[in-house]
């Protein structure tokens, strides 16, 4: 593999950053609109389920598609599909149909595009990045994405003060089209072997092969079991904190912006740490450490504290995100054979897209009955126990070296 991987990597990260920037503007606009208009845990739960449920149903098939077909084309088509759905929403809002339920519908449609794209993105990186550069590239990608998350809430809040919400929708359409253009004409990624030589097996046969692969590789099985509990437990801190801030500190857009900025700064720091600082020799210990940080910070968010300390804890929590996700992605990319990468990432996406909304089904309505502070104290404590269990898993430790 020659130095062309550097050009492909730069263009890939650049196009994905542009696309994510527009998507992030829409994400914050929708989230804040629902939070400020309804102040309801149930409405937030409906919104989150709308954004995750389609990904849950599609991910197993999307994983098979990512292994059977050209991953570059899949990413282009999914970006185009998401842009079209956002364009329709913008037009409907311009015509005066600015209903909350429309945001739920479009969140679900956008989730379809995300569900198709994510396994392909995770699986395509090892096609043009040398294995010894995977950690660095994934870490840089995490830092860039975090920088986007740092800028987009500030810009989104600013735009909402000077323009209508549909203006942000049009920005997303424009950035998606730029990303598609760059990916289509400038990024050269050859098809992987299975896409060039597809067998006559059915989708379900390929899916069964993926499940069989998991059954015969204990470290994948153990990792998936851990993810089931992890994603369920992080649902409250991931999606109820804006509602917690609104209830505890006031319904001010700048406060919601501040927590996103603090979290993004933490993620940038965490991404740089993964890229340039050697962590634990064993990747599982790094993931367990990140999980423990998540648990401890979640626990402390449950106390009655002043807002600036709240922001500091959110920042520390953000550091843990790339430590966990980048390390786990590299573990999968290094250990799983290329022809199964799409399916494994698809299964992991299905778990994330099912356990988070399932967690919100439990904790969202509960947030209208008991204090969110109590929910965070409870889930934070369980996350700490989970991190300890991960650090003692001999099967995973043997593969994390």
């Amino acid at each position: 593999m020659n130095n062309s991987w550097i050009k492909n990597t730069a263009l890939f990260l650049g196009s994905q950053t542009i696309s994510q920037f527009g998507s992030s503007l829409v994400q914050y606009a929708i989230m804040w609109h629902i939070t400020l208009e309804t102040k309801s845990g149930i409405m937030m739960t409906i919104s989150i389920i709308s954004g995750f449920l389609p990904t849950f149903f599609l991910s197993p098939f999307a994983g098979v598609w990512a292994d059977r077909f050209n991953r570059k084309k899949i990413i282009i088509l999914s970006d185009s599909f998401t842009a079209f759905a956002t364009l329709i929403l913008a037009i409907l809002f311009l015509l005066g149909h600015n209903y909350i339920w429309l945001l739920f519908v479009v969140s679900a449609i956008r989730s379809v595009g995300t569900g198709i794209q994510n396994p392909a993105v995770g699986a395509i990186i090892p096609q043009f990045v040398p294995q010894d550069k995977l950690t660095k590239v994934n870490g840089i990608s995490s830092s860039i994405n975090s920088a986007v998350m740092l800028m987009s809430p500030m810009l989104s809040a600013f735009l909402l003060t000077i323009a209508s919400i549909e203006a942000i929708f049009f920005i997303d359409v424009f950035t998606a089209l730029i990303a598609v253009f760059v990916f289509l004409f400038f990024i050269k990624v050859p098809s992987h072997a299975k896409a060039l030589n597809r067998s006559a097996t059915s989708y379900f046969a390929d899916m069964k092969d993926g499940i069989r692969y998991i059954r015969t590789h204990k470290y994948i099985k153990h990792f998936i079991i851990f993810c089931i509990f992890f994603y369920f437990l992080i649902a409250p801190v991931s999606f109820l904190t804006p509602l917690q801030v609104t209830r505890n500190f006031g319904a001010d857009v700048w406060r919601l912006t501040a927590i996103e900025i603090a979290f993004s700064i933490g993620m940038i720091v965490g991404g740089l740490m993964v890229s340039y600082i050697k962590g634990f020799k064993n990747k599982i210990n790094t993931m367990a450490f990140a999980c423990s940080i998540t648990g401890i910070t979640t626990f402390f968010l449950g106390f009655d504290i002043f807002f600036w300390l709240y922001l500091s804890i959110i920042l520390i929590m953000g550091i843990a995100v790339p430590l966990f996700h980048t390390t786990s992605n590299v573990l999968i990319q290094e250990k799983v054979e290329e022809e199964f990468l799409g399916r494994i990432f698809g299964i992991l996406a299905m778990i994330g897209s099912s356990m988070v909304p399932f967690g919100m089904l439990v904790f969202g309505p509960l947030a209208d009955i008991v204090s969110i502070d109590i929910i965070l104290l409870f889930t934070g404590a369980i996350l700490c126990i989970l991190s300890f269990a991960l650090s003692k898993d001999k099967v995973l430790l043997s593969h994390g070296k």
Side-chain angles (χ1 to χ4, degrees), residues 125 142 162 218 359-360:
I125 291 176
S142 177
I162 63 173
K218 289 183 68 176
M360 284 303 296

Side-chain angles (χ1 to χ4, degrees), residues 27 31 44 48 52 234-243 356 360:
Q27 174 187 337
M31 180 177 67
M44 286 295 294
I48 291 161
F52 276 93
I234 65 169
V237 75
S238 298
F239 293 104
L240 289 180
T241 43
L243 191 59
V356 171
M360 284 303 296

Side-chain angles (χ1 to χ4, degrees), residues 186 274 293:
F186 295 99
V274 172
I293 293 176

Side-chain angles (χ1 to χ4, degrees), residues 137-386:
V137 169
N138 278 279
I140 292 172
S141 175
S142 177
S143 294
I144 293 173
N145 292 340
S146 302
V148 170
M149 291 181 65
L150 173 64
M151 297 302 298
S152 54
M154 292 187 288
L155 182 57
S156 181
F158 173 72
L159 290 173
L160 283 173
T161 62
I162 63 173
S164 59
I165 191 172
E166 51 265 27
I168 299 177
F169 297 155
F170 279 112
I171 292 174
D172 182 36
V173 175
F174 182 67
T175 55
L177 291 177
I178 292 175
V180 168
F181 179 79
V182 172
F183 212 154
L184 186 62
F185 294 105
F186 295 99
I187 300 178
K188 307 297 182 184
V189 183
S191 294
H192 55 289
K194 188 173 177 63
L196 292 172
N197 186 26
R198 292 196 298 271
S199 62
T201 56
S202 66
Y203 290 107
F204 288 102
D206 274 357
M207 200 180 300
K208 287 180 180 178
D209 284 342
I211 295 172
R212 191 179 300 112
Y213 184 89
I214 293 170
R215 287 177 177 174
T216 56
H217 293 75
K218 289 183 68 176
Y219 74 97
I220 296 290
K221 187 192 303 182
H222 284 214
F223 180 63
I224 285 175
I225 292 171
F226 167 81
C227 286
I228 288 172
F229 288 100
F230 180 75
Y231 285 119
F232 175 79
L233 291 168
I234 65 169
V237 75
S238 298
F239 293 104
L240 289 180
T241 43
L243 191 59
Q244 183 191 30
V245 168
T246 300
R247 291 178 179 178
N248 293 356
F249 302 107
D252 303 306
V253 173
W254 76 266
R255 294 186 189 274
L256 299 178
T257 305
I259 62 172
E260 298 299 336
I261 291 172
F263 189 73
S264 299
I265 291 173
M267 288 183 64
I268 293 173
V269 173
L272 293 174
M273 288 173 62
V274 172
S275 299
Y276 296 103
I277 300 176
K278 289 185 177 180
F280 297 101
K281 291 183 178 179
N282 195 300
K283 291 183 176 65
I284 300 304
N285 288 332
T286 302
M287 292 162 58
F289 176 67
C291 182
S292 68
I293 293 176
T294 304
I296 292 169
T297 50
T298 299
F299 183 80
F300 278 106
L301 287 178
F303 288 97
D304 184 16
I305 54 179
F306 57 89
F307 186 65
W308 295 108
L309 179 57
Y310 188 96
L311 287 181
S312 300
I313 295 172
I314 288 286
L315 187 148
I316 296 171
M317 179 183 292
I319 294 174
V321 174
L323 289 180
F324 180 85
H325 287 290
T326 301
T327 305
S328 62
N329 281 347
V330 173
L331 179 70
I332 298 300
Q333 290 168 350
E334 287 180 347
K335 299 293 183 178
V336 175
E337 287 85 342
E338 184 184 67
E339 64 179 288
F340 287 98
L341 272 175
R343 277 164 283 185
I344 299 303
F345 276 115
I347 293 294
L348 291 173
M350 182 183 71
I351 291 169
S353 61
S354 61
M355 295 314 298
V356 171
F358 179 64
M360 284 303 296
L361 276 175
V362 175
F363 297 114
L366 189 62
D368 288 336
I369 301 172
V370 301
S371 169
I372 295 176
D373 299 353
I374 295 174
I375 295 174
L376 295 184
L377 286 169
F378 172 75
T379 53
I382 301 300
L383 279 167
C384 290
I385 296 172
L386 187 66

Side-chain angles (χ1 to χ4, degrees), residues 64-76:
V64 173
W65 296 334
D67 285 337
R68 288 173 67 104
F69 302 110
N70 186 299
R71 290 161 182 164
K72 175 181 173 179
K73 292 179 180 178
I74 290 174
I75 295 170
I76 290 171

